[in-house]
Amino acid sequence: MSIKERMSGNEAVAYAMKQIEPDVFAAFPITPSTEIPQYFAQYVADGKVSTEFVTVESEHSSMSACMGAEAAGCRAVTATSSAGLAFMYEMLYVVASSRLPVTLACVNRALTGPININNDHSDSMGARDSGWIQIYAENNQEAYDNYLQAMRIAERADVRLPIMVCQDGFITSHAVENILLENDEKVKKFVGEYRPENYLLNSERPYAVGPYDTCPYYMEHKVQQAEAMKNAKQAILDVAADFEKTFGRSYGLIEKYKMDDAEAALVLIGSTAGTAKACIDDMRSRGMKVGLVKIRAFRPFPGEEIAAALEGVKAVAVMDKSEGFTGCGGPVYSETAAACIAMENIPVMIDVVYGLGGRDCRVEDIERVYNHLFEIISTGERGPVYIHMGQRSNEKEVL
């Protein structure tokens, strides 16, 4: 029986950590993820977990400590945001290439500079090609549920990759919402014990971590990583199916919201999905055929699933809460557009970069995007493909 509670997203993730009771938590604080190690440190001080809580001098060291712990055969976790994730950058690649399933709670925050502590996705998007699985939450419930599923996904024998469990800084991390928590024993049974295949403390099988990889081997190891990431797609679906069977809440690689007959659709990530759903419900009540594809798993990228969801749609706006600095759009747009290139009937597609550094995105802003799509449909003129929405300027906005 689920337990009804009210929690912030940060507290929900820390509570999930407490229930799982990892072997090692390596911590260095940074806003807005600081509360996660703060809550967990209290659990340690109160004797509610037996986790080794390691306070380190930097985020680079926290990921290094997690790597050492995982290599030794332990289940290791950490949490960070923004510049903290950037400071881990070297170690993100090392951990992924070493096939060590570290679990990282990433509370998304704009990446410096200029210095900004508010939400966008530039931190985790900057690490999108580091070899980590990435799962994003719309709300506090999803942040909690995603964390419960993360280790099962990452530790699976045909995956063995690290995983980022992402949520939007302040929007979900600090806002308190109603949430359903699960029984400690039920959670422990669902997540299971960590059984590493190879580890440094196994005296019966000598093992090296992080060796120099010469030309005859490097590419083969990268291909193995790539295959593991492909395998992660099915792992996410299998764990989600067991999660629904165990706890009753359903998840997938993407979520389709009122897409059956949608003519205009959005593709986006994170908490803005809740804003979009409120807009869709209102516009649907006025007879407008609008829908949403919310990406839950960004790595591995669910290209086939997104393309299938957009079949029959006339116009699509991909909304990027991160600037890609490519000169032609953000990262979610580029990957979505690439995934749709083989569609028989490709919808007209534009990119809307929004919400940078915490810039507000309201229901009426989402409606402006839909109205712009309907104008494209009615006139047949796409206009600019790459749009920034919500910035102050002397120029008239396209939307």
Side-chain angles (χ1 to χ4, degrees):
M1 187 74 172
S2 300
I3 305 156
K4 293 181 180 180
E5 188 53 88
R6 294 171 71 247
M7 280 186 175
S8 69
N10 277 346
E11 188 175 5
V13 167
Y15 192 84
M17 288 179 174
K18 177 183 77 76
Q19 292 182 301
I20 296 166
E21 199 170 358
D23 299 305
V24 173
F25 189 147
F28 189 86
I30 184 169
T31 302
S33 66
T34 301
E35 287 184 327
I36 296 175
Q38 180 182 346
Y39 282 121
F40 197 85
Q42 193 63 56
Y43 295 140
V44 173
D46 293 343
K48 294 181 178 179
V49 291
S50 58
T51 304
E52 186 70 28
F53 190 77
V54 185
T55 55
V56 294
E57 75 278 11
S58 72
E59 290 89 354
H60 187 283
S61 297
S62 67
M63 187 51 63
S64 298
C66 285
M67 178 182 174
E70 283 280 353
C74 299
R75 182 178 268 163
V77 303
T78 190
T80 197
S81 303
S82 184
L85 187 65
F87 198 20
M88 292 178 177
Y89 194 67
E90 176 193 14
M91 295 310 300
L92 295 180
Y93 280 82
V94 177
V95 168
S97 66
S98 299
R99 308 292 296 280
L100 298 171
V102 174
T103 303
L104 186 153
C106 178
V107 183
N108 290 116
R109 165 188 151 187
L111 207 57
T112 304
I115 294 173
N116 182 294
I117 66 166
N118 299 305
N119 170 249
D120 67 28
H121 296 153
S122 54
D123 50 3
S124 57
M125 286 295 161
R128 64 188 178 275
D129 295 334
S130 60
W132 285 61
I133 300 166
Q134 291 187 353
I135 298 181
Y136 290 77
E138 174 187 337
N139 51 43
N140 300 10
Q141 185 70 62
E142 286 191 16
Y144 173 75
D145 291 350
N146 286 349
Y147 202 90
L148 296 187
Q149 296 173 65
M151 291 174 188
R152 284 266 306 266
I153 297 164
E155 294 170 1
R156 206 161 94 160
D158 63 344
V159 177
R160 301 271 185 206
L161 290 173
I163 186 166
M164 287 183 199
V165 184
C166 304
Q167 63 169 313
D168 285 352
F170 295 108
I171 298 171
T172 62
S173 67
H174 285 64
V176 174
E177 293 181 347
N178 293 331
I179 188 172
L180 294 176
L181 302 174
E182 303 303 332
N183 174 271
D184 288 359
E185 293 307 312
K186 206 170 181 181
V187 166
K188 276 190 169 59
K189 184 178 179 182
F190 174 81
V191 176
E193 294 292 326
Y194 180 35
R195 293 184 173 85
E197 185 177 352
N198 296 298
Y199 53 98
L200 294 173
L201 296 183
N202 183 358
S203 59
E204 297 179 4
R205 189 173 183 180
Y207 181 55
V209 175
Y212 177 66
D213 219 358
T214 57
C215 297
Y217 301 103
Y218 182 89
M219 187 167 179
E220 282 69 22
H221 288 147
K222 288 301 170 186
V223 171
Q224 288 175 9
Q225 269 186 265
E227 291 301 315
M229 187 61 78
K230 291 180 188 177
N231 295 340
K233 183 180 281 191
Q234 191 59 50
I236 291 168
L237 294 173
D238 290 345
V239 172
D242 193 26
F243 187 88
E244 183 177 10
K245 182 180 176 182
T246 306
F247 301 118
R249 295 185 291 280
S250 177
Y251 293 98
L253 299 165
I254 63 172
E255 178 189 341
K256 295 179 287 185
Y257 191 75
K258 302 197 175 176
M259 285 296 296
D260 289 345
D261 62 346
E263 296 179 354
L266 303 185
V267 177
L268 54 77
I269 286 176
S271 62
T272 308
T275 308
K277 289 174 182 177
C279 182
I280 290 166
D281 291 344
D282 179 58
M283 295 183 76
R284 283 273 177 177
S285 72
R286 291 182 268 137
M288 305 177 80
K289 295 180 178 180
V290 293
L292 167 71
V293 177
K294 180 185 80 177
I295 299 174
R296 175 178 176 244
F298 187 72
R299 284 290 181 270
F301 189 74
E304 294 177 3
E305 292 76 9
I306 292 171
L310 295 177
E311 282 288 350
V313 175
K314 296 178 180 178
V316 176
V318 180
M319 297 190 67
D320 267 292
K321 212 172 190 180
S322 174
E323 175 52 70
F325 299 113
T326 64
C328 54
V332 183
Y333 172 76
S334 64
E335 303 215 10
T336 301
C340 293
I341 199 70
M343 289 175 65
E344 191 171 328
N345 297 300
I346 304 173
V348 177
M349 190 173 294
I350 63 170
D351 186 32
V352 179
V353 178
Y354 77 104
L356 302 183
R359 184 63 53 90
D360 220 3
C361 182
R362 306 160 298 170
V363 171
E364 49 263 47
D365 297 318
I366 298 294
E367 183 162 355
R368 285 167 58 206
V369 178
Y370 280 121
N371 288 338
H372 184 67
L373 293 177
F374 281 119
E375 186 177 343
I376 291 171
I377 293 168
S378 65
T379 64
E381 297 179 7
R382 180 166 63 176
V385 175
Y386 171 35
I387 300 167
H388 289 84
M389 182 178 74
Q391 84 281 13
R392 290 193 305 277
S393 172
N394 291 329
E395 299 290 328
K396 183 179 178 181
E397 278 202 315
V398 175
L399 290 175

